[in-house]
Amino acid sequence: MKRQDQLHPLSCISRFTALHKPAIDIQDYIERIYTYTLCSPECLVLSLVYIDRLIQSQTVVVNSLSIHRVLITSIMIAAKFFDDSFFKNEFYARV
């Protein structure tokens, strides 16, 4: 069975889609985000709920080219919603 991004590559392009797969793997990326953003563990769980809802809505294809951007965006939104202290958008972009 073919992956969805191989069937219709142009339909999978969104603002979250990178041109190349990032060099950092997802586990290291999550650890980096957790270390630098000081977000709560609950914030990480909430970000997974956001990602699940995004996947269910089928508005953005989440794959190896988009997961890093989707993840940092969902954590940023979760931190702003749940945590008492959070950073500006520019800081999350640098992470």
Side-chain angles (χ1 to χ4, degrees):
M1 189 162 130
K2 291 186 179 183
R3 291 181 13 201
Q4 186 176 0
D5 58 339
Q6 291 175 340
L7 293 174
H8 303 288
L10 292 179
S11 66
C12 297
I13 296 174
S14 70
R15 294 182 188 266
F16 293 101
T17 307
L19 295 176
H20 305 285
K21 183 178 175 185
I24 187 170
D25 71 348
I26 201 67
Q27 182 175 349
D28 292 338
Y29 190 58
I30 292 171
E31 289 174 7
R32 176 184 174 89
I33 293 169
Y34 185 71
T35 300
Y36 288 106
T37 63
L38 306 173
C39 66
S40 64
E42 295 84 2
C43 176
L44 295 177
V45 173
L46 184 58
S47 73
L48 290 176
V49 171
Y50 290 156
I51 292 171
D52 183 56
R53 289 180 182 175
L54 182 67
I55 291 169
Q56 288 179 6
S57 72
Q58 298 179 350
T59 55
V60 174
V61 174
V62 179
N63 57 23
S64 62
L65 296 177
S66 64
I67 186 61
H68 291 77
R69 293 178 182 180
V70 167
L71 186 62
I72 191 65
T73 303
S74 67
I75 290 174
M76 179 184 69
I77 293 169
K80 289 184 175 194
F81 177 77
F82 190 79
D83 290 344
D84 291 333
S85 61
F86 52 86
F87 297 97
K88 292 183 177 184
N89 295 358
E90 294 84 17
F91 179 81
Y92 291 100
R94 286 193 307 253
V95 170

